[in-house]
Each structure stands twice: as structure tokens, then as C-alpha cells.
Amino acid sequence: MTLPAAAPFTRPLVLGSTSAYRRELLARLRLPFSVEPPEVDETPLGEEAPGPLARRLAAAKAAAVARRHPAAIVIGSDQVADLDGEPLGKPGNHANATAQLRRMSGRTVIFHTALSVVCHESGFAQHDLAPVKVRFRALDAAEIEAYLRAEQPYDCAGSARSEGAGIALLDAIESDDPTALIGLPLIRTSRMLRAAGLRVF
């Protein structure tokens, strides 16, 4: 009697994030996954530069969740906006968002989106950074106010949602991984998941 072939072992996939944007982006890959808050302190260390800060936080988020789910493949990600070497975080409120957009008006901002994929049980760990260069138009006070009242992007680094009306604030976007600006670089994510042994399609 021939026994049926055993189904291949598939590790669970966990997104270590509280971001609705990352959850929506990962869902595009049509893979089953769960979401768990990483509960990581995101305070910069001293004069930590934006790129290294994003990398450290993405790795810390992935590691924190992987410790609780050692058999899972865990994704951690973080984004830090970089204005001339100064990290800009989420504004949190209207006044801070207004100040951020005024500062970025007519200037180029680098959005560093870091990605970590880890599995404690298998020993897999890969980390990468997807920088996105964004050039803002010269913005007047009235359009900044109108935009913020309409979209209230207070949970977005840099105060502008490129996937929404914020795209009208920009002159150009340069990136090799288009969804990185929204919060999760899906080209890099797919590549890392395949390397970790998870079949995408």
C-alpha cells in the first residue's frame, strides 16, 4: 500500500507590527499570517542617524516577536524620515505635522524603510534597508493646512501619505521598491521570505 506523500512543513508567518499600513501591504502577497505588536522602545540612541535607527528598530521588532514564536518566520520593519541627517518621526498631532511639512517644503527627504526577517528555530536572519528619495514641492501654508485637515496623517513619518492625497505634495519619488514608502518594501520582503523557505506562490 502506498502512503500519500506528507505535506511539506510550512512555518507560520508573523508580522511584528502595530501598523495597519504594513498589515495591508503584506496581505497583497496572499499569504496567511498573524500580527503581533513587538512592544519595542523606539527612542533614538543619542545622535543615532536615521538609517541605522530604522535598521536597529526593524531588527529589534523582529527579534522581540521571534522570541515569543521561535518556530515562526517573523517580519519586522521600521521607517524613519531623514531631513539632512536629522530623523523625523511620526508627528502625532496637527501642530507637529504642520511644522514637519513646512520644513520639508521644497526639499528632498530620504525615507529609510528597514526590513528584518528572522526565524529563531532555523537560525535564519536577513536584514535590508530600502531608501526612498522624495522631493517635496514648495508648499504654502494654506495647502499644508487643507491637506492636514483632509487626511490627518499624524501616524505617518514625514506627515504625508503618498498612497493618498499626499502624493499631490510631491515633485518626485525615486525608489527600487515602490511600496517601501508606504511602510513595507514588498520586493525585498518576497525575496527574504523565499530565502527563509516560505513559498510565495
Side-chain angles (χ1 to χ4, degrees):
M1 178 179 176
T2 304
L3 295 176
F9 171 67
T10 301
R11 294 186 181 277
L13 177 62
V14 182
L15 174 63
S17 179
T18 58
S19 168
Y21 308 110
R22 292 192 179 101
R23 189 182 311 123
E24 290 168 5
L25 287 169
L26 185 57
R28 293 185 189 182
L29 298 182
R30 300 180 181 234
L31 294 169
F33 68 95
S34 59
V35 180
E36 184 163 332
E39 299 174 356
V40 167
D41 182 0
E42 300 188 24
T43 307
L45 301 177
E47 298 298 316
E48 196 170 18
L53 171 60
R55 279 183 179 271
R56 178 177 66 80
L57 292 178
K61 290 175 180 180
V65 174
R67 281 192 293 271
R68 302 194 289 269
H69 302 277
I73 296 169
V74 179
I75 299 170
S77 185
D78 194 80
Q79 184 181 80
V80 179
D82 177 350
L83 181 61
D84 297 333
E86 177 188 344
L88 300 178
K90 299 171 185 174
N93 59 50
H94 188 86
N96 290 341
T98 300
Q100 280 191 353
L101 289 174
R102 284 177 177 170
R103 290 187 63 198
M104 295 186 296
S105 174
R107 302 174 71 182
T108 296
V109 180
I110 308 296
F111 287 80
H112 299 280
T113 304
L115 175 68
S116 291
V117 175
V118 303
C119 176
H120 275 192
E121 195 172 82
S122 70
F124 181 86
Q126 283 191 3
H127 313 277
D128 204 353
L129 189 69
V132 182
K133 186 181 290 186
V134 178
R135 190 168 69 246
F136 281 79
R137 294 189 300 103
L139 307 172
D140 62 41
E143 63 186 331
I144 289 174
E145 180 68 14
Y147 168 69
L148 292 178
R149 293 295 180 192
E151 200 146 78
Q152 301 180 13
Y154 308 138
D155 60 346
C156 296
S159 305
R161 288 196 184 112
S162 64
E163 69 275 26
I167 196 74
L169 305 179
L170 310 180
D171 263 338
I173 298 173
E174 297 177 28
S175 173
D176 66 354
D177 206 334
T179 59
L181 187 56
I182 305 173
L184 187 67
L186 287 181
I187 293 174
R188 285 168 171 80
T189 300
S190 298
R191 183 186 304 140
M192 287 188 185
L193 292 179
R194 288 193 297 269
L198 190 63
R199 185 170 181 174
V200 182
F201 294 122

